Amino acid sequence: MKVGELEVVNAFFGFCTLMGNTWPAPLVPLGYRVVGIETEITSILDQNDRTVVPDIVCASAKKHHALCVDAKSSTVDKNQERAYEALEPRMLISQGVVPPDIDPSRLSNDSLLVTAREYSQKLCFSLDKIGVCLPVVAADEMCFSLSYGQIHQSELHQVFTKGIPLRGQQWPRHFVPFNSRSSIAEMVATVIRALFQLLHRGGAFSIEDIASRAVPHWDLCGRAEQRGFRDQIAQIL
Amino acid sequence: MNLNHAQYPGIDPQEVQTRGELSRYLDQSLSGEYVTTLNDDEFTQTSTFVKSYLVEAHSTDRAAFTTRLNQVFIQILPRLDPSLYLLYDKYNNPYFADIASPRFMALHSIEKTSDTDYTLDKLTAGDVPKFDRTWMPTQFLRGIRRGKMMGFKFGFERFVQGLRDPDSDLHLASGLPDGGRRARFRMAVSEDVTAERDYRAIQNSELFSGRKALEHIQFTAIDQKGEYISNRVYTDGKIVGKGTSIGSHLATVEAVLTSYTRLLEKIEDHTLGWVNKGNSVVHTGEPFIITFPGDLEITNLMELTRSIVRPVKPFRLLGIPHELSEERVDVEAIDLHTGDPFALEITKEWLRVYLPAGACGNVVARLYSNLQRSMHSDIQLATGDGEILFVEDGE
């Protein structure tokens, strides 16, 4: 099983959601909830604005902490990784990324890169080379474990240092069934289902209507992501 | 012999305008005052059962609701009480629709069961949008009894495939035409004061293992004046009453309706979606987990999935199964009763149901109670935090 962007996003959704004993949820006792998908956050790097788009953002009112997770391959984008490193709590607060039940004065944050285990060594080496010290979690169908750096939130650090054991066939896939980079084959079933829903309801509808039904987090997507979805759906239709 | 229903000297349904009058109209059936004509001048007094059907109807938009009803009933007549309608089916049988609940309709009738069952099937088979039966699992049915349990019926029919029968080497897999060699099991105890004891004895024994799903339960409730009702409550929401107290029958209808509404609300409390918190959002909800018992052997997961995700009765689901491996099949599905989307993730040990916020929770009850009746009666439905939604009393 290949661990890509969507697998990482759905795994973290699962870590923050109780699902009986079908998937581990070590972030639930720490109070983490998912508060964003593909959220555009502006960071300031060398006195220039730089937007980062973490695949998933989790936050805990209990631990006064926010975690931005970005799924990576083996390559790094120097400015992007530095922008993640430069993210500060006040940016997350002012841009409405964390919910109001989190005390702004006590908020801390971490950015975490997650990659398939076979890429982790190369990614860590690349980060070292550009002088960025972001923690890296290596993932495969058996385990998520920290392979580089440190997560500042100590309990979260412990969770990933110890590793989260998994069983591949238990992997959740339907919190975020696809994103705008997914293949048409991955999207087609959900798009057809949305189309059927609209036909069942009757009346006129647009690609936007199909997209808003097919994509569970449509309202949270930035403009670029929405445009990507619309293009993919238009191709399917 | 042509048997027509007469209005004289029984209560003419057209005259029923209020709940009090409805109660008297239904009571004439219990008390044997209901009159039918055999010929123009020949009357006979009969006592029939009162039938009440609980139907999910979503009646808030009255215009849309009555338009949908029109697909099955030839006349829809509002009553003085705005939450009552008098309906006539194509055989000219009268029914009273009580829509005091915005979600459910209680449909009362004293006409022939064969006619009323047929009409209710037409209404809820899926051709008319938004109407659905209730789907009460075994533990729920047991929980709604009161007074003395007088009967029960186990009903099990293997209309899913891809399983190995635990009691034989017979593969209940492909090649068996629908209705052909499907395993069926029925066992009933009726009008018996030992029903409670018998039920518990069977439940606690190895007998009929995995096939002890209730199709109906019967109980008798008596008030302090000796007035009584004997109610038979079916898994699909049909409630048949006989006895002397129409008030007790209507109390049963109300109690079942209230409990079932609460159940659906509880299910819907766990649906998945994004909730606004100030300027931010938080994802809430969790998937439901249906766990298969250890003695249920799934031999072909894809075949099992295809037999569940079918647009016909009883599941009424449309979906595209996607086989990730022999151990995992996922489905993007649609509930054909409402058009609501949902997703299933199925393994040989469990099934996850992802129900999005705003979707009707009845699909979870339908899926679970039909799996209980067709797969194994001991399967369990739980929320993500491990709360088992249906637990039988005494366990």
Side-chain angles (χ1 to χ4, degrees), chain A residues 10 13 17-23 33-37 93 95-101 167-177 186 188-190 192-194 196-197 200 213 216-218 220, chain B residues 129-130 272 274 277-287 289 318 320 322 324-325 327-328 330-345 347 349-350 352 354 383-386:
Chain A
N10 281 295
F13 251 107
T17 308
L18 292 168
M19 293 198 283
N21 57 4
T22 69
W23 189 252
R33 297 165 297 170
V34 177
V35 298
I37 294 288
I93 293 160
Q95 292 173 52
V97 178
V98 292
D101 57 354
R167 278 173 65 195
Q169 80 270 19
Q170 297 185 337
W171 210 291
R173 290 180 67 245
H174 284 91
F175 289 111
V176 179
E186 286 173 301
V188 72
T190 315
I192 288 173
R193 184 178 66 179
F196 180 87
Q197 261 187 284
H200 190 267
R213 277 172 172 72
H217 56 288
W218 174 254
L220 309 182
Chain B
K130 303 280 185 190
L272 293 150
W274 295 92
K277 298 260 181 185
N279 292 329
S280 318
V281 291
V282 171
H283 191 264
T284 61
E286 61 213 46
I289 316 290
L318 192 67
I320 306 166
H322 175 49
L324 299 176
S325 71
E327 305 293 319
R328 170 79 178 260
D330 288 2
V331 189
E332 314 294 335
I334 292 174
D335 173 7
L336 284 175
H337 280 278
T338 57
D340 291 335
F342 67 103
L344 301 173
E345 293 175 346
T347 71
E349 288 91 40
W350 46 257
R352 286 191 199 120
Y354 291 72
T383 59
D385 63 7

Side-chain angles (χ1 to χ4, degrees), chain B residues 55-66 68 99 101-105 129-133 264 268 335 337-338 340 358-363 366:
Chain B
V55 177
E56 191 180 32
H58 301 282
S59 61
T60 314
D61 179 348
R62 290 291 174 89
F65 165 71
T66 52
R68 292 196 304 270
I99 52 166
S101 153
R103 182 163 196 171
F104 283 94
M105 164 172 81
K130 303 280 185 190
F131 287 108
D132 196 2
R133 298 271 187 168
L264 293 196
E268 288 160 5
D335 173 7
H337 280 278
T338 57
D340 291 335
C360 176
N362 211 13
V363 69
R366 186 183 334 128

Side-chain angles (χ1 to χ4, degrees), chain A residues 62-79:
Chain A
K62 202 169 162 184
K63 301 294 169 192
H64 316 288
H65 185 255
L67 178 70
C68 297
V69 179
D70 204 29
K72 302 292 292 182
S73 60
S74 61
T75 55
V76 293
D77 173 335
K78 184 177 176 183
N79 284 335

Side-chain angles (χ1 to χ4, degrees), chain A residues 178-195:
Chain A
F178 52 78
N179 59 26
S180 66
R181 275 93 57 208
S182 297
S183 68
I184 282 179
E186 286 173 301
M187 293 176 67
V188 72
T190 315
V191 171
I192 288 173
R193 184 178 66 179
L195 189 62

